Structures are given as structure tokens and as C-alpha cells.
């Protein structure tokens, strides 16, 4: 039994500059490193043999020295673990440009493709489709080979091409084959220019499940999609672990990695998703009635948050649903301030429907009544435009500033 961890899209050193202060952004960068440490602790506890990183280890080509040192030191401090890193679209061939002596237990892939024998019948293959032009890639491979030649002979030796194995794409039926790639999936064929027929697996349109299904691949270890997901195409099983930690509300919910137990004889691969609790981005919807003012809204928000089991480390986007009165606009800033001390980050958005009861103002002889009749009877305005104009107009009539 071989135990592995499959992770991807760590995006270490993300800037977090869009909505957070300098201090908050720094804290979130540290949270990403803590998530990586949690993964390592789990791997040590489970006695895993290797960690597979399916691309986008860092968020950009510019990586701070402290983040790089922490990452590489964490690998060196775990010599019994081997780490296999395939570059993604956020990674470059210069990722380790300042590192002359990479850890002996860190193994890389290339555009030409590399295979490692993890056990007697267990193969890990990977092929990179990102990076610079082939000419630059060749120079990079030469430098990488100089640094890795000694260590690849000791542990997980690279599979060498022989007379019976003339291509990277020759997979043996008797082996249990794991393939690591980075990109989106497509069920159609892909035909990238300049690639031989046998290797038409990944191109600008994505990773072709149809092409890969022709090979005896038992687990496709993917990266690039930040939402966790898995499935099968014919006999081909594929898994996206998603990002290790959410970095915005487009990456909400539970995040983590996969733990694998591989039986190379039966080719059975058991998987378990392992969540990491370093603070999640959560979207919480709260139903309100038109009579709910700011204080009643706050009570219902707090009840919903408790029901959703949100923690103080979570970042919350509160969406107010239901109904609202044109004369009872809720104070969103007050709601955010009231909740911000209890959670890492809070924003409140009003998405409830504006309730206009025509019978209540149709005969009202006042400036407000005339305004509401004029706007609601307009055929040139959409319902959304009417809502915005009515809210603005009612506010002005009540003495509010633009």
C-alpha cells in the first residue's frame, strides 16, 4: 500500500490587495503557509510516501524570499517525504532561479514529460504545458538535471526510455499509472500545432479526456480548477482537489486536499478529502421581510451565521434577500461594523426586492405620490432602473444627500 497526498493551486504569496488592508493581506498570506503546514502535518501522521502538487504552487513569478525559504525548508525538514511538483499557468521556469541547491526530495517535471517509479508497479507521470519557449526550456532542463541527477538515482528513479518503451506515452498495462496535469478538461479531441499524433492530449482548448482514455491511466491528478471535483470518463478517473485555501468569495466553502491509498496490484485507489480549517470565505443568504429594519436584520443575520456554524476566522459576504420597503432603507455600514469585530472580514450586500404597493400611493396627493406614480407607470424604464430611481428619490424627499 502506497500512501500519497494530492494537492494543487496553493498560490503561495498571493497579494490579497483587492479588498484587504496591508496588515490583513499579510495575515492571509501567512494563512496560506499555515494551510501548507497543516497538509504536511497530516502527511507525517499518515506516513505518506509522497506529495503531488498539480501546478500553481506560487501565485506569480515574484516570490518573497521568506515564503520561498519556508517552503523549501519544510521540504528539507521532511526527508522521508518526496514532493513532486508540476508547473501550472501561474508558475514559470524561473520559479527556483535563485535556488542553487534544491532539496533532494523535491522532484520536477518538464515539457517533454517525465515518469517516476514510486514503487515496483506504481508509476507517476507528468507533462508540463506551460512556461516559456522550448529553447529556454531546454536550458532550464539542463540546469535542473545537474541538480537532480544524484538524488533521482536514490529515491523514485526516473523511468528511462528503453527499446520496448520508445515514447513517454507508452504506459504498461501491468503498472498502476498516475498522471499529473494542470488545466481544464474537455471531452473533445485537441490538436495543438507541432505535436505528434500520440501526444495530442492537451492544448489551448484544454485537456482531452477522450485522448487520455486510450491510455491505461488509473488516476488523473489535476490542478487549475479551484473548486473541488472528481469524475470518470469511460474508465479514466480524474480528480481536482481544488485550491488549498480560498482567496476570495469566488472560492467560497470548504477547501483542502486529497489523501490517497494506492494498491498497485489491484490498481485500486482509495481517496479521502481532507478539509483545512484556516478560515473560509462564506456567502450567507438571509431572508428578510419589508418590515425588518437594520436592528431586526442584524438579529436575523446573527441567527443565520450561528446556524451556518461560521467561525471567527471566516470571511463573510452577507446577502440580504426577501423584501424591503422604499422608506426603510437598511444601514449596511452599521451592519458591517456590528459584525466585523466577530469575524475576519464582513461585507453586507442588499439584494432584497423593493416592495411597491401601488394601492397605497395611487391616490396620494403629494409630491411623493406623484413621483411614485410617474416612475412606476414609465414604459421606458426597466424594473431595476425603476427601483434605483425610487430609492434615490425617496431618500432625497426624506432629506438625505446624494
Amino acid at each position: 500500500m502506497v500512501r500519497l497526498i494530492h494537492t494543487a493551486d496553493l498560490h503561495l504569496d498571493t497579494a490579497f490587495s483587492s479588498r484587504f488592508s496591508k496588515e490583513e493581506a499579510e495575515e492571509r498570506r501567512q494563512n496560506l503557509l499555515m494551510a501548507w503546514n497543516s497538509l504536511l502535518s497530516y502527511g507525517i501522521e499518515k506516513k505518506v510516501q509522497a506529495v503531488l502538487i498539480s501546478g500553481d504552487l506560487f501565485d506569480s513569478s515574484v516570490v518573497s524570499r521568506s515564503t520561498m525559504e519556508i517552503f523549501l525548508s519544510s521540504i528539507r525538514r521532511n526527508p522521508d517525504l518526496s514532493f513532486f511538483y508540476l508547473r501550472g499557468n501561474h508558475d514559470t521556469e524561473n520559479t527556483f532561479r535563485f535556488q542553487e541547491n534544491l532539496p533532494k526530495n523535491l522532484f520536477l517535471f518538464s515539457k517533454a514529460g517525465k515518469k517516476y517509479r514510486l514503487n515496483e508497479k506504481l508509476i507517476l507521470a507528468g507533462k508540463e504545458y506551460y512556461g516559456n519557449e522550448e529553447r529556454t526550456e531546454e536550458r532550464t532542463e539542463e540546469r535542473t538535471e545537474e541538480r537532480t541527477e544524484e538524488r533521482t538515482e536514490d529515491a523514485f528513479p526516473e523511468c528511462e526510455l528503453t527499446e520496448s518503451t520508445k515514447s513517454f506515452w507508452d504506459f504498461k498495462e501491468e503498472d498502476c499509472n498516475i498522471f499529473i496535469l494542470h488545466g481544464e478538461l474537455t471531452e473533445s479531441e485537441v490538436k495543438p500545432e507541432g505535436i505528434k499524433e500520440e501526444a495530442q492530449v492537451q492544448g489551448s482548448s484544454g485537456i482531452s479526456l477522450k485522448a487520455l482514455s486510450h491510455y491505461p491511466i488509473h488516476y488523473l491528478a489535476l490542478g487549475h480548477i479551484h473548486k473541488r471535483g472528481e469524475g470518470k470518463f469511460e474508465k479514466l478517473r480524474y480528480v481536482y482537489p481544488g485550491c488549498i485555501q480560498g482567496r476570495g468569495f469566488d472560492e467560497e466553502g470548504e477547501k483542502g486536499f486529497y489523501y490517497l491509498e494506492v494498491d498497485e496490484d489491484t490498481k485500486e485507489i482509495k481517496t479521502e478529502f481532507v478539509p483545512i480549517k484556516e478560515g473560509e470565505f462564506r456567502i450567507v443568504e438571509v431572508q428578510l421581510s419589508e418590515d425588518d429594519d437594520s436592528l431586526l436584520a442584524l438579529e436575523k443575520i446573527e441567527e443565520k451565521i450561528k446556524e451556518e456554524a461560521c467561525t471567527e476566522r471566516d470571511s463573510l459576504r452577507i446577502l440580504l434577500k426577501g423584501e424591503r420597503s422604499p422608506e426603510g432603507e437598511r444601514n449596511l455600514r452599521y451592519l458591517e461594523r456590528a459584525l466585523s469585530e466577530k469575524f475576519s472580514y464582513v461585507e453586507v450586500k442588499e439584494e432584497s426586492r423593493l416592495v411597491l404597493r401601488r394601492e397605497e400611493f395611487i391616490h396620494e396627493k403629494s409630491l411623493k405620490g406623484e413621483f411614485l406614480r410617474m416612475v412606476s407607470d414609465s414604459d421606458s424604464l426597466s424594473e431595476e432602473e425603476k427601483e434605483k430611481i425610487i430609492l434615490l428619490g425617496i431618500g432625497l424627499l426624506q432629506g438625505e444627500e446624494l
Side-chain angles (χ1 to χ4, degrees):
M1 184 76 69
V2 178
R3 298 175 177 85
L4 307 172
I5 282 178
H6 173 204
T7 187
D9 300 286
L10 284 78
H11 289 277
L12 300 179
D13 241 18
T14 294
F16 289 111
S17 58
S18 59
R19 61 165 52 89
F20 301 112
S21 67
K22 183 178 180 180
E23 293 74 18
E24 290 170 336
E26 179 58 30
E27 181 179 353
R28 290 174 184 279
R29 283 192 288 273
Q30 298 309 314
N31 285 346
L32 289 176
L33 289 172
M34 294 306 296
W36 170 249
N37 286 342
S38 296
L39 180 151
L40 293 179
S41 296
Y42 185 90
I44 294 169
E45 178 185 346
K46 287 289 188 177
K47 295 181 172 59
V48 304
Q49 282 91 329
V51 175
L52 317 183
I53 305 173
S54 301
D56 288 356
L57 171 61
F58 300 106
D59 192 56
S60 72
S61 59
V62 180
V63 182
S64 67
R65 178 177 295 181
S66 61
T67 295
M68 182 65 76
E69 286 180 354
I70 289 173
F71 174 74
L72 293 179
S73 293
S74 68
I75 293 179
R76 290 190 182 97
R77 290 173 64 89
N78 291 281
D80 294 334
L81 273 174
S82 291
F83 297 81
F84 294 88
Y85 161 50
L86 178 130
R87 289 178 298 180
N89 57 301
H90 280 255
D91 301 314
T92 72
E93 60 102 2
N94 289 323
T95 296
F96 297 119
R97 62 189 179 280
F98 298 126
Q99 309 299 320
E100 292 300 324
N101 298 303
L102 292 179
K104 292 184 177 181
N105 53 334
L106 174 62
F107 301 89
L108 309 176
F109 295 90
S110 68
K111 282 187 175 181
K114 285 188 177 183
K115 290 180 180 177
Y116 295 95
R117 187 171 292 278
L118 306 191
N119 214 4
E120 185 179 355
K121 297 180 181 178
L122 180 58
I123 297 293
L124 173 64
K127 197 173 191 300
E128 296 178 339
Y129 287 85
Y130 297 95
N132 295 335
E133 297 298 324
E134 199 67 31
R135 183 174 55 186
T136 305
E137 177 70 21
E138 289 174 359
R139 291 198 302 268
T140 303
E141 287 307 310
E142 290 174 2
R143 293 195 300 269
T144 302
E145 288 299 328
E146 291 175 1
R147 292 196 299 264
T148 60
E149 182 177 2
E150 178 182 350
R151 54 192 171 88
T152 53
E153 291 178 356
D154 297 330
F156 301 126
E158 187 179 344
C159 296
E160 297 180 357
L161 301 181
T162 64
E163 291 298 324
S164 60
T165 309
K166 297 181 180 180
S167 167
F168 168 81
W169 295 99
D170 287 339
F171 290 90
K172 296 181 179 179
E173 295 281 352
E174 59 266 28
D175 286 330
C176 181
N177 297 300
I178 297 176
F179 203 153
I180 180 170
L181 286 172
H182 186 90
E184 294 187 41
L185 293 176
T186 176
E187 294 187 4
S188 61
E189 297 279 7
V190 296
K191 295 184 177 181
E193 297 181 2
I195 302 294
K196 295 180 180 179
E197 183 70 24
E198 62 181 2
Q200 293 180 357
V201 166
Q202 185 169 359
S204 59
S205 59
I207 299 169
S208 173
L209 287 171
K210 187 174 182 180
L212 284 172
S213 66
H214 299 312
Y215 301 100
I217 297 171
H218 303 96
Y219 183 92
L220 187 56
L222 296 168
H224 186 58
I225 302 300
H226 290 192
K227 184 176 181 180
R228 171 166 54 106
E230 53 184 298
K232 292 191 72 173
F233 181 83
E234 297 179 359
K235 293 183 179 181
L236 177 62
R237 182 184 180 188
Y238 58 86
V239 174
Y240 282 106
C243 53
I244 197 171
Q245 277 283 279
R247 298 175 300 149
F249 291 105
D250 57 339
E251 298 174 359
E252 66 158 327
E254 192 174 59
K255 303 297 179 183
F257 57 90
Y258 274 89
Y259 166 68
L260 283 62
E261 290 185 349
V262 183
D263 187 327
E264 57 189 310
D265 293 320
T266 65
K267 300 178 177 61
E268 181 182 6
I269 301 178
K270 296 180 180 178
T271 60
E272 176 187 349
F273 180 74
V274 182
I276 292 180
K277 299 296 184 181
E278 290 293 336
E280 300 175 12
F281 281 84
R282 308 281 295 272
I283 298 178
V284 180
E285 295 187 1
V286 181
Q287 291 294 326
L288 301 175
S289 70
E290 63 174 306
D291 296 326
D292 291 334
D293 59 13
S294 297
L295 292 179
L296 286 173
L298 179 59
E299 290 181 8
K300 291 189 175 182
I301 290 172
E302 290 176 331
E303 289 175 3
K304 187 65 175 179
I305 287 174
K306 185 176 181 180
E307 179 184 322
E308 295 284 336
C310 300
T311 71
E312 62 181 13
R313 303 193 68 177
D314 291 338
S315 297
L316 306 183
R317 173 177 286 172
I318 310 296
L319 303 181
L320 304 183
K321 301 288 187 176
E323 299 177 339
R324 56 179 161 153
S325 166
E327 296 181 345
E329 187 175 1
R330 299 169 187 123
N331 190 328
L332 303 187
R333 289 188 178 181
Y334 166 78
L335 295 175
E336 289 176 348
R337 289 289 298 274
L339 295 165
S340 61
E341 293 182 359
K342 302 176 183 178
F343 299 95
S344 179
Y345 174 85
V346 177
E347 62 182 44
V348 181
K349 295 184 176 294
E350 182 70 84
E351 294 189 357
S352 57
R353 181 176 60 87
L354 183 66
V355 177
L356 285 176
R357 304 189 189 283
R358 185 176 177 80
E359 65 276 7
E360 294 181 1
F361 63 81
I362 190 65
H363 300 299
E364 184 177 331
K365 295 180 179 180
S366 66
L367 181 58
K368 184 183 77 172
E370 182 63 28
F371 169 69
L372 291 173
R373 284 191 293 273
M374 181 180 67
V375 176
S376 61
D377 291 342
S378 174
D379 294 327
S380 62
L381 296 172
S382 66
E383 291 301 317
E384 183 179 353
E385 290 171 330
K386 289 179 182 180
E387 180 175 318
K388 290 180 179 179
I389 292 172
I390 287 172
L391 286 174
L392 180 61
I394 292 294
L396 290 172
L397 288 171
Q398 292 175 340
E400 297 179 4
E401 296 181 359
L402 282 175

